[in-house]
Amino acid sequence: MDSKNKIVIVGAGISGLTTAYLLRKEGFDVTVLEKKKEPGGSIETVIEKGFLFDRGPNSALETTPLIGQIVEELGLQDQLAYANKEANKRYILRNNQLYPLPMSPPAFIGTKLFSAKAKFRLLAEPFIGRSQDGYYQSIAEFVKRRLGKEFLDYAINPFVAGVYAGNPEDLSVKSAFPKLYELEEKYGGLIVGTIRSIKERKKRTEKSKQSAKMFSFKNGMLTLPNSIASYLGEKVIFFSEVKSIAKKEKGFQINYENAGQRNSIECNSVISTVPAYIAAEIFKDWDERLTKHLQEVYYPPVLVLYLAYKKSDIKQPLDGFGFLIPAKERKSFLGSIWSSVIFPNRTDENKATFTLFVGGARDPEIGNVDKDILINKVRKEFEQIMNISGEPVFQTYKYWSNAIPQYNIGYIEHEKYFDEFERNNPGIILSGNYRGGISIGDCIKNAEVITKKITNN
Ligand SMILES: Cc1cc2nc3c(=O)[nH]c(=O)nc-3n(C[C@H](O)[C@H](O)[C@H](O)COP(=O)(O)OP(=O)(O)OC[C@H]3O[C@@H](n4cnc5c(N)ncnc54)[C@H](O)[C@@H]3O)c2cc1C
């Protein structure tokens, strides 16, 4: 093997593992250094007392054919589980009532979720011009201008909470929702743009996030990282926390601690896939500006609460993906996913399981409150909304102190600097979910982009 081909990847989350997988197939000698004892990063599946639950992502969207290809190559087809058709129905809470989000023009006209005024306001959308300062516009400003305030409050606000656990007033429309921004930039509006871009996408065999199929695995989301890690075998070194990276005459020296022992490894290229605030530590001796940009990427906390009940205790029909809560409704949590409705094998047929999300950029104070008090409050609200009479038969939670990076206004400056740093330091790539999108689909697409960049060099 040509020593030029030696690559070290820091982090065995889905970004690092997919990149390692693709590069290995191209003949590179790839080593992955992972701090923890298992792969997956934010992807964590646990099986306990007959319940299967995901503490991080519960599902992903098949937005690129590469996902199906990897699943097939790893022989995981019979493990794959697509979401039940019930999952197409999503509820929004308004005045303590759950309303299905309208998914077609007739449903939109008939829905009680939006007032008649809000519906008429939508008709004005094609006549609204482009914004002048898109770079620095929040998704809230963008939507208010194009679609009106009620649409922002009862569609976009809960949607943003569901995807980013984020705040629409802070998230940059260009960085966090590039496709939406592009519809205005390229086609002049959302309605015209959606129709035209569907036609163009069909030609490219790409799927939009709205039409891509939702999937998980019979044994939970961890199946994919576990399987890629098995394929890579001893090339994934666990319990290895990278502390620093030094430039050598040819290539780099990666310094890490393995089970308390200092160690190092040399390579020609290094791909960092750790969260931005950890990359800031690893690269702190390289460049003050890089450290500052990395530190400024905001990761709010999220508490994931998992609840299971007897089906006979639940009056709310279990016929949907779950529900999201607009900030205006002033509840203690962001929404819930009805996990056992969507995927098989989550529990037995007499029980139903739910995953609730609490905090995020809407309520970062959850970091400072007593978790038991918070959980009790959330549980009571949830049981009231769902019309549940009995106690949970199982309950557990995971607190993520730094959950999901926020592509906030000004993010564009970080992005520009990350690009500049990579140009000035050939052989170093900054990757991970704070670049190119937070979804699992985006992390996988990004791994493909990086692989092409390296193989073309
Ligand atoms: C609660 C939650 C729910 C989510 N829900 C969804 C969802 O439904 N659908 C979806 O598509 N996405 C979802 N996401 C987002 C998605 O899961 C993540 O964006 C994605 O998994 C990130 O992958 P990554 O590899 O970029 O980073 P990470 O998963 O963070 O991986 C980074 C890895 O680096 C390791 N590491 C850290 N420091 C070091 C070090 N110094 N040395 C070596 N290794 C180190 C970590 O241990 C970790 O394994 C969710 C995220 C969270 C937190």
Side-chain angles (χ1 to χ4, degrees):
M1 170 90 48
D2 181 351
S3 66
K4 257 188 86 187
N5 286 342
K6 215 166 173 273
I7 298 177
V8 168
I9 295 181
V10 189
I14 197 66
S15 298
L17 288 171
T18 313
T19 314
Y21 177 79
L22 297 176
L23 285 169
R24 162 102 163 236
K25 283 206 326 176
E26 292 291 334
F28 289 89
D29 175 8
V30 192
T31 303
V32 183
L33 298 175
E34 166 56 48
K35 181 172 81 174
K36 293 195 290 189
K37 68 175 191 315
E38 55 194 6
S42 303
I43 302 174
E44 287 188 8
T45 306
V46 181
I47 300 173
E48 206 179 310
K49 296 186 178 155
F51 297 96
L52 188 156
F53 51 96
D54 277 291
R55 302 202 280 200
N58 275 239
S59 62
L61 293 175
E62 204 176 305
T63 44
T64 160
L66 180 60
I67 296 175
Q69 187 193 314
I70 296 176
V71 163
E72 204 180 310
E73 287 170 0
L74 294 170
L76 293 175
Q77 298 98 313
D78 62 342
Q79 287 290 310
L80 193 69
Y82 285 112
N84 283 330
K85 65 177 186 335
E86 277 85 2
N88 292 331
K89 193 169 182 184
R90 284 149 191 262
Y91 288 96
I92 303 279
L93 188 77
R94 187 166 188 169
N95 297 329
N96 287 321
Q97 272 209 6
L98 295 178
Y99 293 95
L101 189 68
M103 301 302 279
S104 65
F108 179 74
I109 293 165
T111 184
K112 291 195 173 106
L113 176 61
F114 302 110
S115 69
K117 198 173 145 213
K119 292 177 193 174
F120 274 115
R121 172 63 180 77
L122 218 60
L123 298 176
E125 197 276 333
F127 306 102
I128 291 166
R130 289 181 175 83
S131 64
Q132 300 306 312
D133 63 343
Y135 264 31
Y136 297 100
Q137 199 165 111
S138 68
I139 178 76
E141 285 170 88
F142 180 88
V143 170
K144 206 162 120 187
R145 181 170 56 80
R146 297 214 67 87
L147 303 169
K149 174 91 168 70
E150 198 175 317
F151 207 75
L152 168 66
D153 290 340
Y154 284 94
I156 299 301
N157 176 293
F159 168 71
V160 163
V163 177
Y164 278 91
N167 224 335
E169 279 72 25
D170 298 328
L171 284 167
S172 146
V173 63
K174 184 170 164 61
S175 306
F177 299 93
K179 295 265 158 63
L180 212 59
Y181 178 73
E182 198 183 288
L183 291 181
E184 178 177 275
E185 272 297 288
K186 205 163 154 191
Y187 307 100
L190 303 184
I191 296 174
V192 177
T194 304
I195 297 166
R196 290 193 33 205
S197 64
I198 287 172
K199 285 186 190 157
E200 288 175 15
R201 211 179 297 115
K202 262 190 190 152
K203 281 191 208 148
R204 298 197 303 265
T205 70
E206 247 181 52
K207 291 255 168 61
S208 78
K209 290 201 169 125
Q210 294 79 32
S211 62
K213 277 163 101 177
M214 179 182 287
F215 70 93
S216 176
F217 296 87
K218 286 178 194 150
N219 290 323
M221 290 299 291
L222 193 58
T223 304
L224 186 59
N226 264 346
S227 183
I228 303 180
S230 300
Y231 167 88
L232 295 167
E234 60 188 22
K235 285 293 182 179
V236 186
I237 311 179
F238 294 104
F239 293 113
S240 298
E241 182 172 3
V242 171
K243 295 288 188 183
S244 64
I245 296 172
K247 206 169 187 161
K248 303 292 281 182
E249 205 178 314
K250 283 185 191 160
F252 307 94
Q253 178 179 311
I254 318 296
N255 302 313
Y256 64 100
E257 252 178 47
N258 180 277
Q261 300 278 322
R262 282 192 190 177
N263 231 320
S264 71
I265 180 170
E266 295 204 0
C267 60
N268 307 96
S269 302
V270 53
I271 304 170
S272 163
T273 70
V274 297
Y277 53 92
I278 294 174
E281 278 295 306
I282 293 175
F283 288 98
K284 71 173 181 301
D285 298 332
W286 282 71
D287 175 344
E288 269 178 28
R289 278 179 71 195
L290 177 71
T291 310
K292 191 167 172 296
H293 281 287
L294 286 167
Q295 281 170 342
E296 280 176 7
V297 180
Y298 174 47
Y299 288 70
V302 170
L303 185 144
V304 179
L305 174 61
Y306 178 85
L307 297 169
Y309 296 88
K310 280 193 221 140
K311 272 186 185 166
S312 53
D313 286 344
I314 309 168
K315 297 234 171 48
Q316 164 69 36
L318 296 176
D319 59 354
F321 179 80
F323 64 85
L324 287 167
I325 307 179
K328 280 201 127 188
E329 296 297 301
R330 303 205 159 276
K331 296 284 179 211
S332 314
F333 64 116
L334 304 170
S336 73
I337 293 177
W338 300 349
S339 311
S340 60
V341 178
I342 309 169
F343 294 116
N345 205 27
R346 267 48 188 166
T347 178
D348 67 53
E349 59 188 22
N350 300 318
K351 300 187 190 82
T353 67
F354 305 94
T355 310
L356 280 63
F357 296 89
V358 190
R362 188 189 287 178
D363 195 4
E365 281 307 304
I366 60 156
N368 306 323
V369 303
D370 182 296
K371 302 289 175 291
D372 290 335
I373 296 176
L374 176 68
I375 287 170
N376 271 338
K377 196 168 171 209
V378 168
R379 228 186 77 187
K380 283 218 172 73
E381 288 176 5
F382 177 71
E383 288 168 357
Q384 200 178 27
I385 295 166
M386 297 291 289
N387 217 337
I388 296 174
S389 47
E391 294 282 303
V393 288
F394 182 73
Q395 170 177 328
T396 182
Y397 77 91
K398 159 107 190 185
Y399 176 69
W400 297 88
S401 53
N402 297 283
I404 297 174
Q406 304 291 302
Y407 292 41
N408 280 345
I409 299 168
Y411 174 83
I412 204 91
E413 308 301 340
H414 304 322
E415 181 82 282
K416 274 190 203 152
Y417 197 74
F418 300 148
D419 288 343
E420 191 181 321
F421 178 80
E422 286 180 342
R423 268 195 308 275
N424 293 337
N425 296 282
I428 296 188
I429 292 178
L430 300 173
S431 173
N433 64 353
Y434 64 96
R435 298 194 75 188
I438 59 142
S439 71
I440 289 172
D442 284 339
C443 293
I444 291 175
K445 279 192 209 167
N446 217 11
E448 191 179 29
V449 172
I450 290 168
T451 303
K452 283 195 179 138
K453 211 153 101 182
I454 291 180
T455 45
N456 290 339
N457 261 340

